[in-house]
Amino acid sequence: MMADPDNYTDPPSFLSHLQRNPRLQPYDFWPLVADSTVIVQHLSSVVIFICCFVGIYKDKVSHSYVSTLGNVCTVLGWGFWDYWVAHTEAARVIPKPTATPGSQSQTSENDRPDDQYADQQRSRPSSRDSDFAGLGLNLNPRGHFVPGDGAHPTSIPATPFAPSNPSSASSTTSSHIYTTQNIASGHHPFPSTISPRNQRRLATLKSAVLIYSGLYGLSPILKSLTTSTSSDSIWAISASLMCLNIFFFDYGGEVGVKYPAPLSMNAAVMSSTVLASRLLSAAHVFSLMLFSMEVFALFPIFRRHLRHESWRGHLALTFALVLVAGGVLGFVWSTEGSWQAILLGMLLWSLVAVLGMGGCSWWLIRLQHYKNVVTGPWDPARPVIRDGGWE
């Protein structure tokens, strides 16, 4: 009797364990359409910026009107953002445990509230002569830094903690509670009498003043940046950079990302720079560059927060951006800029947005039918990580 070869496989069991697309998750049409609203918002923002540049370049729109409208929208968006951030910080406040009268005598030093522990640390002798002299900070077992006498805070308090004992409210209000993350950041705070929310507002105002003054000082330089370059090269460079902005934009970014899609934002700013260099005066350059910073740097942050806070507001903003983009598109590219051209532009851009959202979603669903991933027991094992565990 002849022995079977080493590579022999029983015909009835051959490929019995073969699997096709074992981890395929079919797409649904309406969720895809809802997710595509982020792309439509960004495309509409790019169209609005380009149309504003064309209007300023052709002297159909005043540059002061564009910058003023952008500033008003930015201030309104900042107001909503400040409210959302304050609401989120208020929701993160951790309530302190309240001790019953019978358990107060059994409360150890590690289990005392932060304000009582801070008072106890202040009553102790000063530790300036120790190895940690000059820090002025005490670390309690709960992981909070409490400044002692003459302490110089080194960071802005992130979240104010309410005292559990009403009698100690005055002492807790006059002191700062710092987390280890804020101490490690190394930022210097504003005066201690200013609340954390007002400190954030002052920091925002400081950044706005720096941006305004920086752009105003660089406008004459940017005006003569591309004097020796032909306009055709400028249009080609700006179009390429704007395409980079669209393709590398962070469409799935979440709230709290510090530097979302830096390549996309830098490409948009550079494209705005070369476009602004073709304008008539430094005032025109300043207005367009300020508007570009608001559209490509600040507006995505607002859109991300709005989507996180209110889905209806996100849809309303999408609808408004589509209408505005279509209106300015019809106004700029028409000869007279009549209302008929604006309404026609709104209609055409809305139709393009609807067909693009629906058509691309349907196309992506149809492409899943051609997905063919074959797996079996002969494949090497691959670990799957889900919820922090191995499978």
Side-chain angles (χ1 to χ4, degrees):
M1 182 177 180
M2 297 180 60
D4 295 331
D6 295 338
N7 58 352
Y8 175 77
T9 303
D10 188 18
S13 62
F14 181 66
L15 300 180
S16 60
H17 298 285
L18 183 142
Q19 295 179 348
R20 295 181 182 274
N21 304 324
R23 294 184 177 86
L24 179 64
Q25 296 181 356
Y27 294 125
D28 294 328
F29 179 76
W30 290 113
L32 284 179
V33 173
D35 292 337
S36 62
T37 54
V38 181
I39 304 176
V40 173
Q41 284 185 355
H42 187 65
L43 290 178
S44 300
S45 301
V46 172
V47 169
I48 292 173
F49 173 78
I50 294 177
C51 291
C52 288
F53 164 75
V54 174
I56 296 175
Y57 183 75
K58 292 183 177 181
D59 202 15
K60 299 184 67 174
V61 180
S62 174
H63 64 90
S64 59
Y65 176 77
V66 173
S67 60
T68 302
L69 185 60
N71 292 336
V72 171
C73 295
T74 301
V75 171
L76 292 177
W78 175 83
F80 283 104
W81 173 85
D82 182 71
Y83 171 76
W84 292 331
V85 172
H87 184 269
T88 303
E89 290 181 353
R92 291 178 180 176
V93 173
I94 304 174
K96 295 184 178 182
T98 57
T100 59
S103 61
Q104 288 180 357
S105 60
Q106 300 178 357
T107 303
S108 62
E109 181 177 311
N110 294 343
D111 296 331
R112 293 176 182 173
D114 291 336
D115 52 352
Q116 299 178 7
Y117 189 82
D119 296 337
Q120 181 188 11
Q121 293 295 330
R122 294 191 189 95
S123 62
R124 292 183 178 179
S126 177
S127 60
R128 294 180 184 274
D129 297 334
S130 62
D131 295 337
F132 300 96
L135 293 180
L137 298 172
N138 298 319
L139 179 63
N140 66 5
R142 296 180 182 273
H144 297 143
F145 281 95
V146 183
D149 297 336
H152 298 280
T154 56
S155 66
I156 299 175
T159 306
F161 288 83
S164 59
N165 189 2
S167 61
S168 63
S170 59
S171 62
T172 306
T173 305
S174 60
S175 63
H176 295 284
I177 298 178
Y178 298 86
T179 60
T180 55
Q181 180 180 2
N182 291 329
I183 291 297
S185 61
H187 296 291
H188 296 281
F190 291 97
S192 59
T193 57
I194 304 178
S195 63
R197 187 175 184 181
N198 290 332
Q199 291 175 5
R200 185 175 59 249
R201 291 174 176 175
L202 289 177
T204 304
L205 179 61
K206 177 183 176 181
S207 300
V209 171
L210 290 177
I211 293 175
Y212 272 71
S213 58
L215 290 179
Y216 187 79
L218 292 175
S219 296
I221 301 176
L222 299 179
K223 170 65 180 64
S224 58
L225 184 64
T226 60
T227 305
S228 59
T229 307
S230 63
S231 297
D232 295 338
S233 301
I234 295 300
W235 309 145
I237 293 173
S238 61
S240 302
L241 292 173
M242 201 61 71
C243 290
L244 285 178
N245 170 262
I246 295 174
F247 290 141
F248 290 95
F249 184 77
D250 187 12
Y251 296 101
E254 298 293 336
V255 175
V257 181
K258 191 172 183 180
Y259 299 109
L263 177 60
S264 175
M265 186 177 66
N266 292 335
V269 172
M270 182 57 67
S271 176
S272 306
T273 303
V274 296
L275 288 176
S277 63
R278 315 307 292 182
L279 297 179
L280 298 177
S281 63
H284 292 74
V285 175
F286 172 75
S287 300
L288 186 65
M289 289 303 301
L290 181 61
F291 186 68
S292 69
M293 294 297 295
E294 295 168 345
V295 171
F296 297 113
L298 301 179
F299 192 42
I301 300 176
F302 172 79
R303 300 202 307 261
R304 198 173 294 114
H305 275 270
L306 180 61
R307 186 186 182 192
H308 178 74
E309 296 292 336
S310 174
W311 177 250
R312 292 183 178 179
H314 173 77
L315 293 180
L317 180 63
T318 304
F319 184 73
L321 285 177
V322 169
L323 292 182
V324 172
V328 297
L329 190 64
F331 174 78
V332 168
W333 293 106
S334 63
T335 304
E336 300 178 354
S338 60
W339 286 103
Q340 292 80 2
I342 294 177
L343 293 177
L344 181 61
M346 289 182 178
L347 179 62
L348 292 179
W349 184 250
S350 300
L351 185 62
V352 169
V354 170
L355 292 180
M357 295 167 63
C360 292
S361 301
W362 176 83
W363 179 52
L364 185 59
I365 292 175
R366 295 294 299 175
L367 286 178
Q368 278 198 314
H369 295 287
Y370 300 98
K371 187 177 180 62
N372 186 21
V373 178
V374 179
T375 61
W378 52 84
D379 293 332
R382 292 181 298 175
V384 179
I385 304 176
R386 292 181 180 176
D387 298 332
W390 297 86
E391 291 187 3

